[in-house]
Amino acid sequence: MIANYWLRELQRMVINLVSGRASGPEAILTAIADSGENISAATVARLAARLNNAVQISAPYPIVSDSAQAGIDMLFDHLVADPQVKTRELFGARVTNYVSQQFRLALPRESHAVIRNRPQIKVGAVPRTANFAITDSRVEQITNTWSFNLSDVEKVSTEIQAWSAHMSRLRQRGGLLESKGRPPLVIPENVQLRVVYEEPRSEVARPALEIAKEVWAEVPGLVAYPESQQSRLVDDALAVVA
């Protein structure tokens, strides 16, 4: 219903422009009017099919923002795919799926331990995201993942340093774990901290991994595994929830 209303309004504005009674964003309406095409649901469907690889058109939904520019900035991260972010997310999802399956298979039936995906790790008022956390009555393990097969490995190094500094503060002060649909949990200072990384496939990125290993080594108790040893995450988690 909302989409049909929007199309009718857009078509009305184009007709008004052609009739000399312009309304709405003039530059956009002029371009539409000059095309000579009657705006309809079929027009939008053709655009969606023709531009599918570059532009995806979906049903409209209202958003709340301080301004039009603020709304655009907020939507960009959700609607515009960044290949680098996509690669990192795919690696993180692969590790999370593997650990989730193996952990559930090995978990004793009487255990109440669960895996929380993409939790917020708060130290004071500052939050950082982890790939997953394993919890029972308390937070037992926090794990993050990193891929070194990205175009901007310098950005990866910066993110690793920031995340590791946050974990160091967690060791000193403790923190709070928050995740959707579940009550927050206090994070003890002795919580297991783990990292799984995807080894670089090119020599160009190898120095970034070596720097990361030095940074991780500075966080007390943090253990970093290559993807080939991700099964050790399950062993570590079972040792603390058993």
Side-chain angles (χ1 to χ4, degrees):
M1 182 180 293
I2 295 174
N4 290 337
Y5 171 79
W6 180 83
L7 288 170
R8 286 198 301 272
E9 285 299 294
L10 182 58
Q11 186 170 342
R12 181 185 60 78
M13 288 190 289
V14 172
I15 292 171
N16 286 343
L17 179 65
V18 174
S19 304
R21 303 191 303 275
S23 62
E26 187 174 344
I28 297 175
L29 293 174
T30 301
I32 295 172
D34 288 347
S35 72
E37 183 172 13
N38 187 39
I39 304 301
S40 66
T43 303
V44 175
R46 285 196 299 275
L47 284 172
R50 192 173 76 224
L51 303 175
N52 187 53
N53 289 334
V55 177
Q56 303 225 349
I57 301 172
S58 59
Y61 292 94
I63 65 168
V64 178
S65 64
D66 294 333
S67 65
Q69 184 60 52
I72 292 171
D73 292 341
M74 180 175 65
L75 290 173
F76 184 88
D77 290 339
H78 295 282
L79 301 181
V80 180
D82 182 337
Q84 177 156 293
V85 172
K86 201 68 177 175
T87 299
R88 185 173 65 225
E89 289 179 349
L90 287 173
F91 173 65
R94 190 165 73 234
V95 173
T96 302
N97 289 339
Y98 171 84
V99 172
S100 296
Q101 292 175 8
Q102 299 302 313
F103 182 72
R104 291 191 183 103
L105 287 173
L107 194 65
R109 181 171 297 183
E110 65 276 9
S111 175
H112 298 292
V114 295
I115 294 182
R116 301 195 188 194
N117 292 323
R118 305 295 295 170
Q120 291 284 303
I121 312 301
K122 294 183 72 174
V123 179
V126 182
R128 287 278 175 183
T129 303
N131 266 86
F132 61 87
I134 293 176
T135 70
D136 42 29
S137 59
R138 67 173 205 161
V139 184
E140 302 290 2
Q141 184 190 96
I142 295 171
T143 298
N144 213 0
T145 61
W146 304 95
S147 173
F148 290 88
N149 294 303
L150 306 173
S151 58
D152 191 353
V153 290
E154 185 175 339
K155 182 180 179 181
V156 174
S157 294
T158 301
E159 291 174 349
I160 287 173
Q161 291 177 43
W163 190 84
S164 298
H166 193 72
M167 295 303 106
S168 291
R169 289 192 292 273
L170 177 67
R171 280 286 189 241
Q172 298 167 2
R173 302 170 52 185
L176 191 69
L177 182 141
E178 297 179 344
S179 58
K180 291 182 179 179
R182 293 182 178 275
L185 280 176
V186 172
I187 305 173
E189 296 172 11
N190 64 343
V191 64
Q192 278 190 1
L193 297 179
R194 297 294 183 264
V195 162
V196 179
Y197 60 89
E198 184 179 38
E199 296 204 54
R201 291 188 287 269
S202 70
E203 290 303 315
V204 175
R206 178 107 2 222
L209 173 57
E210 297 308 315
I211 292 172
K213 287 180 177 179
E214 290 186 10
V215 172
W216 293 328
E218 293 175 358
V219 181
L222 188 150
V223 180
Y225 296 127
E227 185 182 10
S228 59
Q229 298 179 26
Q230 62 182 330
S231 62
R232 297 178 66 178
L233 278 177
V234 180
D235 297 334
D236 294 346
L238 290 171
V240 291
V241 300

